[in-house]
Amino acid sequence: MLDVIVWIFIIIFSSAFLGSLIGLGGGFLMVPLLSVLLGLPIHEAIGLSLISIVGVSTSASLNYVVEGNVDFKLGSILEVASVLGAIAGANIALYTPSKMLFIVFGFTLVYIGLVMFRGGSKEKIERLPRIGRLKMLNGFVASFIAGLLSGLLGIGGGILKVPIMTLYLDVPMKIAIGTSEYMIAITSFTGSFIYLNAGKINIQYLGSAFLASVLGAQLGSRVSLRTEAYILRKIFAIVMMLFAFIMVLKGVSM
Amino acid sequence: MNSISNRRMVRYMLLISLVISSIVAVLVSLQDVLPLKYIFKVVYLIYLPSLTLLIIAFHNQFRRRDILGVSAIIILIVLIVFNILLGGVV
């Protein structure tokens, strides 16, 4: 038991640290590492990842909120769709066989890897634009899908939410990242509550998971100021393709 | 989030909630070692940071008199409360 707790600490600390280096939660690293390397059941890996993301995103939000880089109005409106998506996603996941989840996660990782490899979108204007109703509707639907994937697969969904805001809604990158962190904290809370309540999370792992996520995110966000995120994103993209292949293979062979 | 004292308060609120949640998570994990079985439900305190963020957001939108923002946060709170009351399955 103790060695599993130590391994969970190491995995979540490094995922939160590495994720924060490139402005993400790290759920896309936690679930494959916990389920493939440590051999935890995938439902438990997803639940633990979501709880850890609560720690990571709140820890990261701390800086964004204080610096005024969070648009609470836009985030709260889009978050209504994300929360509904997360509730649906987590409930679907509870009734979905592990085999299927491995395969879906694998293909989602391919998408995330491709987005990362292409790099972030260019910096847009530094003021908030007026958002039309049609654009808002698009953003609302896309946020629902992001929440659904978050509840279903245990990822924070920042990799989806940031492009939604920058590409669909023309929100400046800095504010999009800050707002998505605020949204992720609420989405992952809603999703993980369902896993926790369904008894899918071993609460003996909670301490090491939560502590590791808070510490990893704080360290990662401090180091990120002094590192070149561009190269890291490319390396992560390649690593993720490898994980995607392993997860699909594991799902198919189950 | 305009004045310095507000920023400081927000920072402290989030930091304190993160510390409380970390302590609660560690204590709950040690349930075999510590006699915590009677306060088992304390486990849900790990969501304190998310709720703190929601309170900060509500305060921010309420102060700006932004009806749409306040309504969105109230809907969020209602959804979360329903999710909790119905045991995680809406």
Side-chain angles (χ1 to χ4, degrees):
Chain A
M1 174 62 78
L2 192 66
D3 54 340
V4 178
I5 290 174
V6 171
W7 272 113
I8 286 174
F9 187 91
I10 294 168
I11 287 173
I12 291 182
F13 180 84
S14 29
S15 303
F17 172 71
L18 294 171
S20 303
L21 275 184
I22 51 171
L24 296 171
F28 61 93
L29 288 170
M30 288 174 201
V31 178
L33 288 172
L34 289 172
S35 61
V36 176
L37 280 189
L38 201 58
L40 287 185
I42 189 151
H43 288 98
E44 187 165 358
I46 291 172
L48 265 184
S49 164
L50 281 172
I51 283 199
S52 307
I53 292 168
V54 170
V56 174
S57 53
T58 324
S59 192
S61 293
L62 206 132
N63 298 325
Y64 293 115
V65 173
V66 170
E67 282 165 23
N69 284 333
V70 178
D71 182 351
F72 284 116
K73 181 183 175 182
L74 177 67
S76 303
I77 293 171
L78 294 179
E79 190 50 24
V80 172
S82 278
V83 162
L84 287 170
I87 290 170
N91 282 304
I92 292 169
L94 290 179
Y95 297 102
T96 306
S98 304
K99 174 190 170 90
M100 199 68 194
L101 283 176
F102 269 109
I103 295 171
V104 175
F105 200 101
F107 282 111
T108 311
L109 275 187
V110 172
Y111 165 77
I112 296 174
L114 286 175
V115 171
M116 270 189 165
F117 201 79
R118 279 196 224 132
S121 59
K122 59 185 181 295
E123 189 74 17
K124 305 236 173 180
I125 43 172
E126 283 301 321
R127 62 183 167 77
L128 278 177
R130 273 185 67 84
I131 300 167
R133 279 187 188 169
L134 187 67
K135 276 190 171 182
M136 200 62 190
L137 189 70
N138 280 341
F140 208 71
V141 174
S143 295
F144 178 82
I145 295 168
L148 188 83
L149 286 175
S150 174
L152 189 70
L153 305 174
I155 55 174
I159 197 89
L160 300 166
K161 283 171 180 162
V162 173
I164 289 167
M165 281 187 264
T166 51
L167 301 177
Y168 280 0
L169 306 173
D170 296 328
V171 175
M173 185 59 108
K174 266 185 198 166
I175 295 180
I177 293 175
T179 308
S180 91
E181 290 288 359
Y182 157 65
M183 291 172 70
I184 290 167
I186 314 293
T187 313
S188 47
F189 156 42
T190 315
S192 63
F193 182 85
I194 295 170
Y195 285 92
L196 188 64
N197 220 42
K200 293 288 178 190
I201 302 170
N202 186 343
I203 57 163
Q204 285 179 320
Y205 301 153
L206 273 185
S208 86
F210 198 86
L211 204 61
S213 66
V214 173
L215 295 176
Q218 274 300 315
L219 189 68
S221 56
R222 277 158 211 265
V223 175
S224 73
L225 300 172
R226 281 171 266 151
T227 46
E228 185 57 72
Y230 177 78
I231 302 162
L232 278 173
R233 289 180 88 97
K234 301 279 178 202
I235 296 169
F236 273 141
I238 296 164
V239 173
M240 256 189 283
M241 293 294 180
L242 186 72
F243 274 134
F245 178 71
I246 294 170
M247 291 199 84
V248 172
L249 205 68
K250 188 164 180 177
V252 170
S253 63
M254 269 178 128
Chain B
M1 241 44 74
N2 294 329
S3 69
I4 298 295
S5 62
N6 258 352
R7 288 183 188 189
R8 198 170 288 171
M9 203 177 89
V10 165
R11 189 189 289 272
Y12 285 147
M13 274 173 77
L14 281 170
L15 267 176
I16 289 167
S17 66
L18 277 170
V19 170
I20 291 174
S21 297
S22 302
I23 292 169
V24 166
V26 172
L27 286 179
V28 168
S29 299
L30 296 173
Q31 55 165 326
D32 289 344
V33 184
L34 299 168
L36 280 172
K37 60 182 176 181
Y38 297 112
I39 49 165
F40 179 69
K41 288 286 177 189
V42 84
V43 68
Y44 294 118
L45 270 179
I46 51 168
Y47 296 121
L48 199 62
S50 303
L51 296 172
T52 309
L53 258 182
L54 213 54
I55 292 166
I56 292 168
F58 184 82
H59 179 251
N60 177 283
Q61 291 299 292
F62 190 77
R63 228 181 42 175
R64 289 171 180 226
R65 304 270 186 275
D66 195 322
I67 297 169
L68 199 58
V70 170
S71 314
I73 295 169
I74 290 173
I75 294 171
L76 272 178
I77 293 168
V78 170
L79 278 173
I80 289 169
V81 169
F82 265 104
N83 191 36
I84 291 170
L85 288 179
L86 296 177
V89 183
V90 172

